[in-house]
Amino acid sequence: MADAPSSPVARERFDALAGLAASPTNRDSLPVHAPYDDSVVGDVPLSTPDDVRTAVEDARAAADEWASWPVEDRVAVIRRFHDALLDRRESILDIIQSETGKARVDALEEVLDAATAARYYGNHAEQVLTPTRRGGAIPLLTKTVEHHHPVGVVGIISPWNYPLSLSLSEAIPALLAGNSVVIKPDEGTPFTPLWGLELLRECGLPEGVLQVATGKGPTLGEPLIEAVDHVSFTGSTEVGRIVAEAAGRHLTECSLELGGKNALLVLDDADVEKAARGAVKGCFANAGQLCISIERIYVHESVADDFRDAFLRETRALALDAGYDYDHDVGSLLDGELLAKVEAHVEDAVEQGATVLTGGRARPDLGPYFYEPTVLTDVTPEMTLADEETFGPVVSLYEVESVSEAIERTNDSAYGLNASVWTENKDRGEQVATRLEAGTVNVNDAYIAAWGSFDAPMGGMKDSGIGRRHGRRGMRKYTESQTVATQRVVSFSPPKRGKRLWAEAATVGARLWKRVSELGP
């Protein structure tokens, strides 16, 4: 193995961040490894269930004061965070790469995502949270107002693959809605959210409003779910079911973004060169360790050969290596478990007749967990990777005879998170998109167009999740909706005498109101 670059972040810096965790400093520690060379970059406290409960109690104690702040004051904190995040971009990129092993350009996506979340919700929080007049039971006689109150304490269980995006970007709308937040990051990537906690405090977030509890999910998950008022989870469908079951037992609201076996469709009128470049981005960003990345490509037979040649050329041109710079396109897998799963999927497919067009092997010469961007064909339903999420740099090519076949095969999956359609006819692309069973569909893009559309909801259908992030729904899910209705002038209740006459009058009124309402606003 070539000498992998060591983390540019000093051990003392990681130690300082570990001190921000919501656990006593005398707890047992948990080592955090750098995927580039498997060295230990730092240690964090190994929190216990009691530590989590204490963190939630502290967050709840801080929530009342934070919720009492005017919305514009909470917004000011998040806007300062936006600017500080961009100013310190290189520092957080070093930390993200140190504990994920991803390429720097992929780490940059996280920084831009968190900045976008801060900007979007900072600009829209007041409008989203402002009490809204609603139609009353009887016009003029009833005043009805919808209010949005914070739920209290939000728990965020975030994964390792995007430790900034899926912790801080998700915490921002919850904080702006007036909640306090407890983040339980993946045990392999705790330093990124701890860095975010430190920066938010520097930007004026009061002590206790945001907590980060470090430790292992199976130990800390249920105590967190039991104690908080809403839990947001991003991760595998398998673990998502466990989270949903626990949330159901404790009547804790939950939102889940889960796995995907996402498809990309290349229609007969697509520009194959553009589609190939887009597919490479969609398949191999973050070494395929992205819930919305592409693992299936359906290509119309009329352009199949041209697309395959262009796609293989673009894939083989990717620079796979370790480095804390922008010279490489694809980085490492997270750990040996991920590498073993990717190898097992490819080996199973090959043993059953699949063909490797490019890639198909680990690269221990680059680092312990590197795997080449891999393209397969001749994949059949009995192969494991045909239906199961691989979560690595592996994609299967399929030739189809028609758009209808591509749509049918795309929808023939338990998952429904993301999809991509490539065509020179944008209207046609949008029509095809609406027929796909996926929470987000991109036309002439792999995933960034939908992911970056913060004003629109993002989430999964079928086994890919419950609830949505982004948009107004992404903030309002962290609120309790309350209806306040004020009766004016007369009572709606029937009188003590003359109930039959009252019933006739009420019926006439209902018929009249139907006719009036049909005239429109």
Side-chain angles (χ1 to χ4, degrees):
M1 184 181 76
D3 291 336
S6 59
S7 172
V9 183
R11 176 62 185 258
E12 292 76 16
R13 179 67 176 122
F14 284 119
D15 290 343
L17 291 173
L20 299 174
S23 300
T25 55
N26 61 354
R27 284 280 179 245
D28 291 339
S29 62
L30 186 69
V32 177
H33 295 261
Y36 279 166
D37 60 4
D38 205 31
S39 63
V40 175
V41 297
D43 301 273
V44 293
L46 187 61
S47 298
T48 66
D50 284 341
D51 294 332
V52 168
R53 296 184 188 101
T54 299
V56 174
E57 290 173 3
D58 292 345
R60 197 174 297 282
D64 288 344
E65 179 185 353
W66 173 243
S68 72
W69 284 30
V71 175
E72 58 267 27
D73 290 351
R74 299 199 295 265
V75 165
V77 173
I78 300 304
R79 285 181 171 158
R80 287 193 293 270
F81 172 79
H82 171 278
D83 295 343
L85 173 64
L86 296 180
D87 289 343
R88 303 187 195 180
R89 180 193 69 190
E90 296 304 307
S91 296
I92 186 56
L93 290 179
D94 289 341
I95 291 174
I96 292 172
Q97 283 194 277
S98 295
E99 57 183 0
T100 66
K102 64 175 60 179
R104 201 166 188 83
V105 67
D106 294 327
L108 179 63
E109 282 190 7
E110 294 206 58
V111 174
L112 298 178
D113 175 79
T116 301
R119 182 179 67 250
Y120 173 80
Y121 285 112
N123 290 341
H124 292 87
E126 191 164 4
Q127 177 187 7
V128 172
L129 299 172
T130 295
T132 306
R133 286 289 296 270
R134 299 298 183 190
I138 298 179
L140 303 179
L141 300 184
T142 307
K143 174 187 175 184
T144 303
V145 179
E146 179 185 1
H147 298 264
H148 292 279
H149 302 292
V151 297
V153 181
V154 171
I156 296 176
I157 303 175
S158 61
W160 51 266
N161 58 330
Y162 280 78
L164 185 68
S165 290
L166 299 176
S167 61
L168 268 295
S169 295
E170 190 65 14
I172 284 169
L175 291 169
L176 283 173
N179 300 287
S180 55
V181 174
V182 178
I183 298 173
K184 210 305 286 180
D186 184 89
E187 62 195 73
T189 55
F191 289 114
T192 296
L194 286 168
W195 183 91
L197 167 62
E198 179 185 69
L199 189 61
L200 277 166
R201 287 181 178 175
E202 289 181 20
C203 293
L205 188 73
E207 191 89 13
V209 172
L210 178 63
Q211 307 269 340
V212 178
T214 55
K216 297 186 176 182
T219 301
L220 306 182
E222 181 142 1
L224 178 68
I225 294 167
E226 180 181 8
V228 299
D229 304 295
H230 183 113
V231 62
S232 171
F233 171 81
T234 306
S236 70
T237 298
E238 179 184 8
V239 178
R241 294 184 192 279
I242 297 172
V243 171
E245 182 181 356
R249 284 198 304 274
H250 300 295
L251 295 180
T252 302
E253 288 188 346
C254 69
S255 49
L256 314 171
E257 185 175 301
L258 308 177
K261 191 70 178 177
N262 308 301
L264 182 146
L265 288 66
V266 182
L267 306 191
D268 54 349
D269 64 343
D271 182 321
V272 294
E273 297 291 337
K274 291 181 182 177
R277 290 192 294 271
V280 164
K281 173 64 176 176
C283 297
F284 305 122
N286 197 27
Q289 300 168 117
L290 174 59
C291 56
I292 53 178
S293 67
I294 302 300
E295 296 194 7
R296 299 179 288 156
I297 300 179
Y298 298 105
V299 189
H300 192 276
E301 61 183 5
S302 65
V303 295
D305 290 344
D306 290 340
F307 174 81
R308 181 194 63 235
D309 292 345
F311 183 55
L312 292 177
R313 184 176 62 251
E314 295 288 340
T315 300
R316 289 166 180 155
L318 292 170
L320 174 69
D321 210 341
Y324 292 88
D325 50 38
Y326 292 97
D327 294 339
H328 309 108
D329 303 308
V330 182
S332 174
L333 296 175
L334 180 75
D335 57 26
E337 183 179 348
L338 264 294
L339 176 61
K341 181 180 180 181
V342 171
E343 289 182 311
H345 276 205
V346 174
E347 289 170 4
D348 170 77
V350 171
E351 287 173 1
Q352 297 191 66
T355 301
V356 176
L357 298 179
T358 190
R361 62 193 179 111
R363 292 292 302 275
D365 55 311
L366 302 177
Y369 312 126
F370 280 84
Y371 196 89
E372 291 179 338
T374 300
V375 181
L376 301 174
T377 190
D378 304 319
V379 173
T380 52
E382 66 273 10
M383 300 173 187
T384 303
L385 63 70
D387 298 312
E388 185 177 320
E389 183 179 34
T390 303
F391 219 66
V394 179
V395 62
S396 303
L397 282 180
Y398 303 89
E399 189 174 316
V400 295
E401 296 180 355
S402 65
V403 174
S404 296
E405 181 187 354
I407 293 170
E408 181 180 355
R409 294 180 69 174
T410 296
N411 291 341
D412 185 19
S413 172
Y415 298 107
L417 188 56
N418 182 53
S420 174
V421 179
W422 291 80
T423 172
E424 287 297 278
N425 185 330
K426 294 180 177 60
D427 291 338
R428 183 188 186 200
E430 291 173 5
Q431 291 170 4
V432 170
T434 61
R435 296 173 62 188
L436 300 179
E437 297 170 356
T440 55
V441 183
N442 302 261
V443 178
N444 294 338
D445 188 79
Y447 67 85
I448 292 177
W451 175 264
S453 298
F454 258 79
D455 197 41
M458 192 265 174
M461 298 181 181
K462 299 188 283 189
D463 287 356
S464 288
I466 298 172
R468 294 292 185 267
R469 59 164 44 98
H470 294 179
R472 287 154 177 77
R473 290 179 66 180
M475 175 174 283
R476 285 182 176 165
K477 70 181 179 182
Y478 296 129
T479 66
E480 292 281 8
S481 295
Q482 180 190 46
T483 297
V484 177
T486 303
Q487 180 179 301
R488 296 168 167 173
V489 187
V490 298
S491 172
F492 298 152
S493 302
K496 291 183 178 181
R497 297 181 179 179
K499 290 183 176 62
R500 181 179 296 277
L501 181 61
W502 177 88
E504 294 296 332
T507 302
V508 170
R511 295 183 189 279
L512 178 61
W513 178 234
K514 176 179 179 291
R515 294 179 181 177
V516 171
S517 63
E518 288 172 347
L519 298 176

